[in-house]
């Protein structure tokens, strides 16, 4: 999600902490799969298209999206939650140049 601007650094940190920092709890391989699926889903809005692009079964996509809900409390299929996740991923990309979450970052 390009162009999300947060004038308040504290607000930006709160968004990132709530939406993407919980992924730091995952092992690197799982984090990579779940975040990749989440990003693809947020771009397409379609489980079927995400599964096609990720070369996996649609149930795998659904399971990974359920993992996102479990970790963050945000349901990527709900527009308001998807917007929060997009904002968090955008902030993360700006901070790190990608979607790598450092293991040392504080989780809520």
């Amino acid at each position: 999600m390009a162009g999300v601007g947060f004038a308040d650094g504290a607000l930006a940190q709160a968004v990132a902490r709530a939406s993407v920092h919980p992924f730091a709890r995952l092992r690197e391989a799982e984090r990579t799969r779940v975040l990749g699926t989440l990003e693809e889903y947020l771009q397409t809005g379609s489980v079927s298209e995400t599964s096609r692009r990720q070369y996996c079964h649609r149930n795998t996509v659904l399971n990974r999206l359920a993992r996102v809900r479990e970790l963050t409390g945000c349901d990527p299929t709900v527009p308001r939650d998807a917007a929060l996740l997009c904002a968090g991923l955008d902030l993360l990309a700006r901070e790190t140049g990608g979607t790598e979450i450092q293991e040392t970052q504080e989780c809520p």
Side-chain angles (χ1 to χ4, degrees):
M1 182 167 136
V4 174
F6 289 99
D8 183 351
L11 176 60
Q13 288 297 325
V15 167
R17 188 172 294 113
S19 61
V20 295
H21 283 205
F23 293 105
R25 297 180 189 139
L26 302 177
R27 292 185 184 149
E28 184 178 351
E30 183 182 7
R31 183 172 53 242
T32 299
R33 285 190 302 270
V34 171
L35 282 174
T37 300
L38 174 61
E39 288 176 322
E40 199 70 55
Y41 178 79
L42 291 173
Q43 288 178 8
T44 67
S46 166
V47 170
S48 296
E49 182 63 16
T50 299
S51 69
R52 187 186 70 73
R53 291 183 181 188
Q54 294 277 305
Y55 304 105
C56 62
H57 194 276
R58 68 182 313 277
N59 287 346
T60 301
V61 172
L62 292 171
N63 289 336
R64 291 177 185 168
L65 295 178
R67 187 74 168 125
V68 170
R69 279 190 300 279
E70 177 185 310
L71 288 166
T72 67
C74 295
D75 184 343
T77 65
V78 173
R80 181 175 291 191
D81 290 354
L84 180 64
L85 290 164
C86 283
L89 289 171
D90 184 59
L91 288 166
L92 181 65
R94 289 180 192 200
E95 288 177 0
T96 66
T99 56
E100 284 303 309
I101 300 171
Q102 301 301 315
E103 307 274 348
T104 57
Q105 288 179 327
E106 190 176 303
C107 294

